[in-house]
Amino acid sequence: MTNRLIYMPLGGAGEIGMNAYVYGYGPEDEERLILVDLGVTFPDMDTTPGVDLILPDMTWLKENRHRLEAIFITHAHEDHIGAVSHLWEELGAPVVHARAFTANILRQKMSEYAHDLRSVVTASAWPEQITAGPFKVGFLPISHSVPESAGLVIDCPDGRVVHSGDFKLDPNPVVGEPFDPEVWAEVAKPGVKALVCDSTNVFSDHPGRSESEIGAAIETLIAAQQGMVVATTFASNVARLKTLAEAGHRAGRSVVLLGRAMRRMVTAAIETGVMDGFPKVVSPEDARDIPRQNLMVLATGSQGERRAATAQLARGKFNGFELKEGDLFLFSSKTIPGNERGVIAIINQFSERGVDVVDDASGKYHVSGHANRPDLQRLHQIMAPQMVIPMHGEHRHLREHAKLAGQGGFTSVIAVNGTMLDLSGNAPSVAGYVETGRTYLDGSAKIGALDGIVRDRIRMALNGHVMVSLILDEDDDPLGEPWCELMGLPQQGSSNAPLADVLEEDLDQFVRRADAKTMADDDKLEEGLRRVARQTAQLEIGKKPEVTVVISRMG
Amino acid sequence: MTNRLIYMPLGGAGEIGMNAYVYGYGPEDEERLILVDLGVTFPDMDTTPGVDLILPDMTWLKENRHRLEAIFITHAHEDHIGAVSHLWEELGAPVVHARAFTANILRQKMSEYAHDLRSVVTASAWPEQITAGPFKVGFLPISHSVPESAGLVIDCPDGRVVHSGDFKLDPNPVVGEPFDPEVWAEVAKPGVKALVCDSTNVFSDHPGRSESEIGAAIETLIAAQQGMVVATTFASNVARLKTLAEAGHRAGRSVVLLGRAMRRMVTAAIETGVMDGFPKVVSPEDARDIPRQNLMVLATGSQGERRAATAQLARGKFNGFELKEGDLFLFSSKTIPGNERGVIAIINQFSERGVDVVDDASGKYHVSGHANRPDLQRLHQIMAPQMVIPMHGEHRHLREHAKLAGQGGFTSVIAVNGTMLDLSGNAPSVAGYVETGRTYLDGSAKIGALDGIVRDRIRMALNGHVMVSLILDEDDDPLGEPWCELMGLPQQGSSNAPLADVLEEDLDQFVRRADAKTMADDDKLEEGLRRVARQTAQLEIGKKPEVTVVISRMG
């Protein structure tokens, strides 16, 4: 039997979020597997109300977990690491490899679920390689908006694949290793079969800017302030936190970290030795004795998250802090599409307090962590792979990235979640498709995206809910009239009587006229009551609510 | 008794949407009133699920409708005109003045509700003035992204107020009147007490670009296409429609209008004589016989609206059209903050079909209809008013606009919805506050934003809904066990039994242990059942659902 090398995204290809990429090597359907990243994506009210987190559907990998050698995590962003603790047991409790900072963050998450921390193994950087079945995997440092991001060098008997991870080409990332083109070129020397490559910023035409470029602007801005300064960014962007903290420190301000995630990230970066020289931090309690013009507060919640520090400060007091006229709030961050409403609401709340807000409109106080179009071209050229496989992008990004690779003379293919590519030959070929999807973490339960549960919630939110109850005696005769309870519906409709009364009257008429066969048949009776309730509501209030019918038969 | 001049926004100041501005002149609390604009804003799933339209709460004006002389509509955008037909009767069926194009659109809306069309009076442009009680009101043409937009010259014995309406300073707006600085300066000559002024683009630093500037880029883009071209923009932007249609026409393409709103707007513009020279339009039916490379389709739905032509084309066939590889879709529009998710979903759907999408990222195919920061300064200077009162903006826009006016030496004030300003003196003074808010059009019913109805819908969407029913006999003893129906909740929780069964068991235990006093008291019993249901759900699925309890007492 011949061996083959396969690549299959189970998340992250066709969306930005919940990355999960499978590689396999071996005889067909018996390939030994590794999983690269296992992240989450975040719910929204439009499509996933009430859901806490969205995980990739790992059904296929669960069924094949006896073939899974290990998990490799490229970096500590939630969309790469966030699902590990939720899915690790179902995947057979595999070993998880990550570099020190990432492993530190992962261990905290694993310990919250009392998982065995010995399964998280700290990896050294390239040129060390970790053996996982037929694979040898090396963590190749690359710059990104979180410390110790790494691409993966994945070797197998069929050749070398380079999985870029999330990256930018930053010669001076403030914290962590700069992009080193010589090391990457060295890796490419023996020949690269496939470059599996981040697509996030393929629509950004200018070369990416270095993290170090914004320091001066931030320092100038903060030095000019007379009141309290509060800044937000992603908690995991410790380079930015350092830049902000140093600017505050140089302006004679004491630095305060507001929000659990921010303290956790800074601590992890110091503990693992990836960051030093971070200015001394003052606790929120001690900050109360410091005049407001001497404070530099770093707060979580750059995306407008309702429970994070920024949103709470916008609504009023938080942890003893309250912003007012003359203070400055800085968004040193980009608003991710879909989060605009929440962020704008916060800016308006600050405006009502007289707080000046500086957002990312100018581009002076934020740079992206992803490679732009010319940077992607540069990496293609350095690695000179047989094929470029775009990942980490919505369909539009993958398609554009494949076009870009094609323009550079590289074979490329759009492989969305569930596409199994055979990389054994000189060009990728589609070996098949597996079912993929999303699993919702809902409270403590996991529910399938297609279970209809969330669909029912959306329907109740759009249409309101009528509960009809009817009690029948042993002869199928009604004991009293049908009873209606309404939720999320107007009290009164076009006939100016309470809606519940009008509904009950029409339902009662229906019951009185129903034939014996209907009254004896729960399904028929329920169907009839539902139909009448919806029709009457349509006449009264112009909309058809969801209807739940409870029929109780006595004796 | 002395007379005073008041200004009071009831909508549109502190938000972008549902504009409604009251002016009054006369003795305190007996001022005769006019209303400028009466618009809607659009619901979203986050805050207003299931709602069809959001109207300003007109309670104050309804109570004072005997003082209302007339309504004046500045232009035909929904956020200025959309609420008239819904609130006109409640406001005492007043006369509504508007210029021909706006009146044409308004009459269509009024006729849908069988309102008396004689109440809509077509106004001529300045220097004609319409008498409304103590006011003389003139429609002063100004450029905007819809034909015949007008500022209002509002004269009363205390002086002249100029209400800018929505505007840009466009010397060549393609359709309709250019901004004429000489006419505006002429209006300013006798002295302007207050300029009440659009604030939308106060954060845009560069001077606004003319509608005519993008024609060449659009023409170049379309001339280069090999497949079908579909473009979307706001249906009311008939200048843009003309530019797009002409570019298609010159490239040898037949023009098709897809979507009712687009046909309505083009028809209104032709009927009222504001537009001529629009290329011949082909019906969707006749377009079927035309090769796809000879088609230029203009489609509604630039904001991603699910039922509009664009979203339907993205999902599949619409009206006989289906896009495929090699076709082009052009967003000649800006995505309004909050609509990003829907628009991005559409772009990805097109990408999956192989359709090339050009969006507004480049700025080459769209210009804004609102005055930018330098344009606002220019209008301030031309009008040289005693005071600048920012309107049409969120709080952050009003605040920034007031700052900008202050920098120019003008007295200014932030007056949000419900603020009654007295403009009689040399500076604005706050004369009081009235309650304002939002009314939801929900199906055919109108509900208050604070009625709790929408809050209940949101709760059901976030938490799911449990319906508990319990039947008691005449001795308060249960007839059978409590019964649960679930909606929007997982079927199964941590004990691996059906959630409904676990709930029913715990509820049954509660009922068995309840004392006689509880069993006899509906409120107490309901409260107890709700508490138990929520506690058990928390243990089983980690969330507390909404609970509705129905207790039926027999005999």
Side-chain angles (χ1 to χ4, degrees):
Chain A
M1 238 176 148
T2 53
N3 293 322
R4 64 178 188 177
L5 170 63
I6 58 168
Y7 158 80
M8 180 169 60
L10 294 176
E15 69 205 329
I16 292 183
M18 56 173 224
N19 294 278
Y21 305 93
V22 171
Y23 292 90
Y25 183 79
E28 186 174 326
D29 295 334
E30 292 172 29
E31 298 89 355
R32 301 301 298 176
L33 309 172
I34 58 171
L35 174 64
V36 175
D37 290 337
L38 188 51
V40 296
T41 195
F42 296 98
D44 59 60
M45 186 71 185
D46 287 84
T47 60
T48 46
V51 170
D52 293 285
L53 272 179
I54 301 173
L55 319 172
D57 179 352
M58 285 285 125
T59 304
W60 184 88
L61 196 57
K62 269 189 261 179
E63 285 166 0
N64 292 283
R65 62 184 178 185
H66 56 283
R67 293 160 55 194
L68 181 62
E69 298 283 351
I71 299 177
F72 294 83
I73 305 293
T74 59
H75 64 287
H77 279 155
E78 286 296 321
D79 58 333
H80 294 260
I81 199 175
V84 175
S85 57
H86 301 293
L87 297 170
W88 177 76
E89 277 183 325
E90 300 172 29
L91 292 177
V95 169
V96 187
H97 299 279
R99 299 183 70 199
F101 177 81
T102 312
N104 181 302
I105 299 295
L106 182 57
R107 285 193 191 99
Q108 292 181 41
K109 289 173 176 288
M110 296 288 274
S111 70
E112 282 169 20
Y113 289 81
H115 294 329
D116 186 351
L117 295 186
R118 288 169 303 178
S119 61
V120 180
V121 178
T122 301
S124 299
W126 178 262
E128 252 192 54
Q129 286 186 294
I130 297 154
T131 301
F135 293 104
K136 284 187 190 302
V137 180
F139 283 81
L140 189 59
I142 195 156
S143 44
H144 185 43
S145 46
V146 64
E148 289 196 337
S149 200
L152 297 178
V153 183
I154 303 172
D155 287 341
C156 74
D158 265 17
R160 172 167 286 182
V161 172
V162 174
H163 183 99
S164 75
D166 291 9
F167 75 99
K168 65 186 291 188
L169 304 184
D170 196 333
N172 186 1
V174 180
V175 168
E177 301 109 332
F179 170 65
D180 187 337
E182 285 174 27
V183 173
W184 281 70
E186 191 64 34
V187 165
K189 248 188 199 155
V192 172
K193 189 170 245 319
L195 172 64
V196 180
C197 191
D198 181 2
S199 310
T200 313
N201 279 5
V202 66
F203 289 107
S204 298
D205 287 330
H206 57 89
R209 293 179 298 149
S210 168
E211 180 67 30
S212 58
E213 283 179 37
I214 57 172
I218 287 175
E219 201 163 326
T220 305
L221 177 71
I222 292 170
Q225 298 308 313
Q226 309 293 321
M228 199 190 319
V229 176
V230 185
T232 185
T233 188
F234 276 106
S236 56
N237 194 340
V238 297
R240 186 68 50 79
L241 295 178
K242 193 180 179 200
T243 301
L244 291 164
E246 284 177 345
H249 185 68
R250 289 205 194 99
R253 293 169 181 269
S254 297
V255 176
V256 184
L257 300 178
L258 216 51
R260 201 164 51 113
M262 213 158 256
R263 287 194 296 274
R264 178 187 287 190
M265 286 290 170
V266 169
T267 305
I270 294 170
E271 274 179 12
T272 56
V274 301
M275 177 172 69
D276 53 16
F278 196 85
K280 186 171 163 284
V281 168
V282 170
S283 75
E285 294 69 35
D286 291 344
R288 280 169 210 167
D289 302 326
I290 300 172
R292 58 194 308 112
Q293 68 272 20
N294 293 337
L295 287 173
M296 173 77 202
V297 180
L298 304 179
T300 53
S302 67
Q303 300 304 309
E305 302 90 332
R306 279 190 60 77
R307 289 180 217 160
T310 294
Q312 301 216 42
L313 283 171
R315 291 198 291 270
K317 276 197 188 175
F318 180 64
N319 238 330
F321 294 91
E322 186 170 18
L323 274 76
K324 60 178 196 185
E325 183 97 38
D327 292 339
L328 175 82
F329 192 95
L330 169 64
F331 282 90
S332 182
S333 56
K334 190 200 155 206
T335 304
I336 294 173
N339 296 338
E340 288 83 357
R341 262 184 229 274
V343 170
I344 288 173
I346 284 171
I347 295 175
N348 281 312
Q349 285 168 326
F350 282 135
S351 178
E352 286 170 23
R353 295 173 176 274
V355 175
D356 290 318
V357 177
V358 173
D359 65 11
D360 68 331
S362 70
K364 282 160 73 178
Y365 310 108
H366 176 67
V367 291
S368 172
H370 292 275
N372 287 0
R373 193 179 183 90
D375 310 319
L376 294 173
Q377 288 176 304
R378 189 172 160 214
L379 194 70
H380 296 173
Q381 282 154 13
I382 292 172
M383 303 314 284
Q386 272 182 4
M387 35 190 141
V388 172
I389 301 174
M391 62 157 179
H392 203 281
E394 299 165 7
H395 195 282
R396 61 190 174 125
H397 300 105
L398 304 184
R399 183 163 176 265
E400 187 70 14
H401 194 173
K403 273 192 198 175
L404 182 72
Q407 288 160 16
F410 300 100
T411 301
S412 192
V413 62
I414 302 173
V416 295
N417 292 342
T419 309
M420 187 189 287
L421 288 185
D422 183 342
L423 307 182
S424 310
N426 291 325
S429 65
V430 175
Y433 295 97
V434 307
E435 287 282 327
T436 57
R438 298 174 158 213
T439 300
Y440 299 151
L441 186 69
D442 188 64
S444 55
K446 283 183 196 133
I447 58 183
L450 304 177
D451 288 358
I453 293 165
V454 168
R455 183 202 58 203
D456 281 350
R457 287 186 200 161
I458 293 171
R459 285 184 178 164
M460 288 191 288
L462 294 176
N463 307 324
H465 195 186
V466 173
M467 293 131 283
V468 177
S469 51
L470 176 63
I471 305 173
L472 303 177
D473 66 16
E474 58 268 27
D475 303 321
D476 304 333
D477 284 328
L479 283 165
E481 295 170 5
W483 180 265
C484 283
E485 294 274 344
L486 311 181
M487 193 153 175
L489 287 165
Q491 302 281 334
Q492 199 170 299
S494 54
S495 42
N496 288 322
L499 177 58
D501 292 359
V502 181
L503 285 169
E504 285 165 6
E505 203 168 294
D506 285 3
L507 291 166
D508 189 44
Q509 290 226 2
F510 168 79
V511 169
R512 284 170 193 279
R513 287 176 193 164
D515 56 25
K517 216 169 132 190
T518 302
M519 294 303 287
D521 182 335
D522 275 6
D523 288 345
K524 267 198 179 159
L525 185 53
E526 192 178 317
E527 165 59 26
L529 289 166
R530 173 176 291 113
R531 200 186 60 241
V532 170
R534 286 166 62 87
Q535 280 171 350
T536 297
Q538 176 67 38
L539 288 170
E540 284 291 307
I541 58 167
K543 66 194 295 173
K544 290 183 173 170
E546 301 306 300
V547 179
T548 296
V549 177
V550 178
I551 297 166
S552 310
R553 293 184 184 271
M554 296 287 99
Chain B
M1 238 175 146
T2 53
N3 292 322
R4 64 178 189 178
L5 169 64
I6 58 168
Y7 159 81
M8 181 169 60
L10 295 176
E15 68 205 330
I16 292 185
M18 56 173 224
N19 295 279
Y21 306 93
V22 171
Y23 292 90
Y25 184 79
E28 187 174 326
D29 295 334
E30 292 172 29
E31 298 90 354
R32 301 302 296 176
L33 309 172
I34 59 172
L35 175 64
V36 175
D37 291 337
L38 189 50
V40 297
T41 196
F42 296 99
D44 60 58
M45 187 70 184
D46 288 83
T47 59
T48 45
V51 169
D52 293 286
L53 272 180
I54 301 174
L55 319 173
D57 179 352
M58 285 285 124
T59 305
W60 184 88
L61 197 56
K62 269 189 261 179
E63 285 166 0
N64 291 282
R65 62 185 177 185
H66 57 282
R67 293 160 55 194
L68 181 61
E69 298 283 352
I71 299 177
F72 295 84
I73 305 293
T74 59
H75 64 286
H77 279 154
E78 287 296 323
D79 58 333
H80 294 260
I81 199 175
V84 176
S85 57
H86 300 294
L87 297 170
W88 177 75
E89 278 182 325
E90 301 173 28
L91 292 176
V95 170
V96 187
H97 299 279
R99 298 183 70 199
F101 176 81
T102 312
N104 180 302
I105 299 295
L106 182 57
R107 284 192 192 99
Q108 292 180 41
K109 289 174 176 287
M110 296 288 273
S111 70
E112 281 169 20
Y113 289 80
H115 294 329
D116 186 351
L117 295 186
R118 288 170 303 178
S119 61
V120 180
V121 178
T122 301
S124 299
W126 178 262
E128 251 191 56
Q129 287 185 295
I130 297 153
T131 301
F135 293 105
K136 284 187 190 302
V137 181
F139 283 82
L140 189 59
I142 195 158
S143 45
H144 184 43
S145 47
V146 63
E148 288 195 338
S149 200
L152 298 179
V153 183
I154 303 172
D155 288 340
C156 74
D158 265 16
R160 172 166 287 182
V161 172
V162 174
H163 183 99
S164 75
D166 291 10
F167 75 99
K168 65 186 292 188
L169 305 184
D170 196 333
N172 186 3
V174 180
V175 168
E177 301 109 333
F179 170 65
D180 187 336
E182 284 174 28
V183 173
W184 282 70
E186 190 66 32
V187 165
K189 247 187 201 156
V192 172
K193 188 168 245 319
L195 173 65
V196 180
C197 191
D198 181 2
S199 310
T200 313
N201 279 5
V202 67
F203 289 106
S204 298
D205 286 330
H206 57 89
R209 293 179 299 149
S210 168
E211 180 67 29
S212 59
E213 283 179 36
I214 57 172
I218 288 176
E219 200 164 325
T220 305
L221 177 70
I222 291 169
Q225 298 308 311
Q226 308 292 320
M228 198 190 317
V229 176
V230 184
T232 185
T233 188
F234 276 105
S236 55
N237 193 339
V238 297
R240 186 69 49 79
L241 295 178
K242 192 180 178 198
T243 301
L244 291 164
E246 284 177 345
H249 185 68
R250 289 206 195 99
R253 293 169 180 269
S254 298
V255 176
V256 184
L257 300 178
L258 217 51
R260 202 166 50 116
M262 213 157 256
R263 287 194 296 275
R264 179 188 288 189
M265 285 292 171
V266 169
T267 304
I270 293 170
E271 274 180 12
T272 55
V274 301
M275 177 171 69
D276 54 17
F278 196 85
K280 185 171 164 287
V281 168
V282 170
S283 74
E285 294 69 35
D286 291 344
R288 281 168 209 168
D289 302 326
I290 300 173
R292 60 194 308 112
Q293 68 271 20
N294 294 336
L295 286 174
M296 174 76 202
V297 180
L298 304 179
T300 52
S302 67
Q303 298 305 308
E305 302 91 333
R306 279 189 61 76
R307 290 181 218 159
T310 294
Q312 300 216 41
L313 283 171
R315 290 198 291 269
K317 275 196 188 175
F318 180 64
N319 238 328
F321 294 91
E322 186 169 18
L323 274 76
K324 60 178 196 185
E325 183 97 38
D327 292 339
L328 176 82
F329 192 94
L330 169 63
F331 282 90
S332 181
S333 55
K334 190 199 156 207
T335 304
I336 294 173
N339 296 338
E340 289 83 358
R341 262 185 229 273
V343 170
I344 288 173
I346 284 172
I347 295 176
N348 280 313
Q349 285 168 326
F350 282 135
S351 178
E352 286 169 22
R353 295 173 176 273
V355 175
D356 290 318
V357 176
V358 173
D359 66 11
D360 68 330
S362 70
K364 282 159 74 177
Y365 311 109
H366 176 67
V367 291
S368 172
H370 293 274
N372 288 359
R373 194 178 183 90
D375 310 321
L376 294 173
Q377 288 176 305
R378 191 172 159 213
L379 194 70
H380 296 173
Q381 281 154 14
I382 292 172
M383 302 315 284
Q386 272 181 3
M387 34 190 143
V388 172
I389 301 174
M391 62 156 180
H392 203 280
E394 300 165 5
H395 195 281
R396 60 190 174 125
H397 301 104
L398 304 183
R399 182 162 177 265
E400 187 70 15
H401 195 174
K403 273 192 198 174
L404 182 71
Q407 287 160 17
F410 300 101
T411 302
S412 192
V413 62
I414 302 173
V416 297
N417 292 342
T419 309
M420 187 189 286
L421 288 184
D422 183 342
L423 308 181
S424 310
N426 292 325
S429 65
V430 175
Y433 296 98
V434 307
E435 287 282 328
T436 58
R438 298 174 159 214
T439 299
Y440 299 151
L441 186 69
D442 188 63
S444 56
K446 282 184 199 134
I447 60 184
L450 305 177
D451 288 358
I453 294 164
V454 168
R455 183 202 59 204
D456 282 349
R457 287 186 200 160
I458 292 171
R459 285 184 177 166
M460 287 191 290
L462 294 176
N463 307 323
H465 195 185
V466 174
M467 292 132 283
V468 177
S469 51
L470 176 63
I471 305 173
L472 303 176
D473 66 14
E474 58 269 26
D475 303 323
D476 303 334
D477 285 328
L479 283 166
E481 294 168 6
W483 180 264
C484 283
E485 294 274 344
L486 311 181
M487 192 153 176
L489 287 164
Q491 302 281 332
Q492 200 170 299
S494 54
S495 42
N496 289 321
L499 177 58
D501 292 0
V502 181
L503 285 169
E504 284 166 5
E505 203 168 293
D506 285 4
L507 291 167
D508 189 45
Q509 291 224 2
F510 168 79
V511 169
R512 284 171 193 278
R513 288 176 193 162
D515 57 25
K517 216 168 132 191
T518 302
M519 295 302 287
D521 182 335
D522 276 5
D523 289 345
K524 268 199 177 158
L525 185 52
E526 193 179 316
E527 166 58 26
L529 289 166
R530 175 175 291 114
R531 200 187 60 241
V532 170
R534 286 166 63 86
Q535 279 171 349
T536 298
Q538 176 67 38
L539 287 171
E540 285 291 307
I541 57 167
K543 65 194 294 173
K544 290 183 173 170
E546 301 305 300
V547 179
T548 298
V549 177
V550 177
I551 298 166
S552 310
R553 294 184 182 271
M554 297 286 100

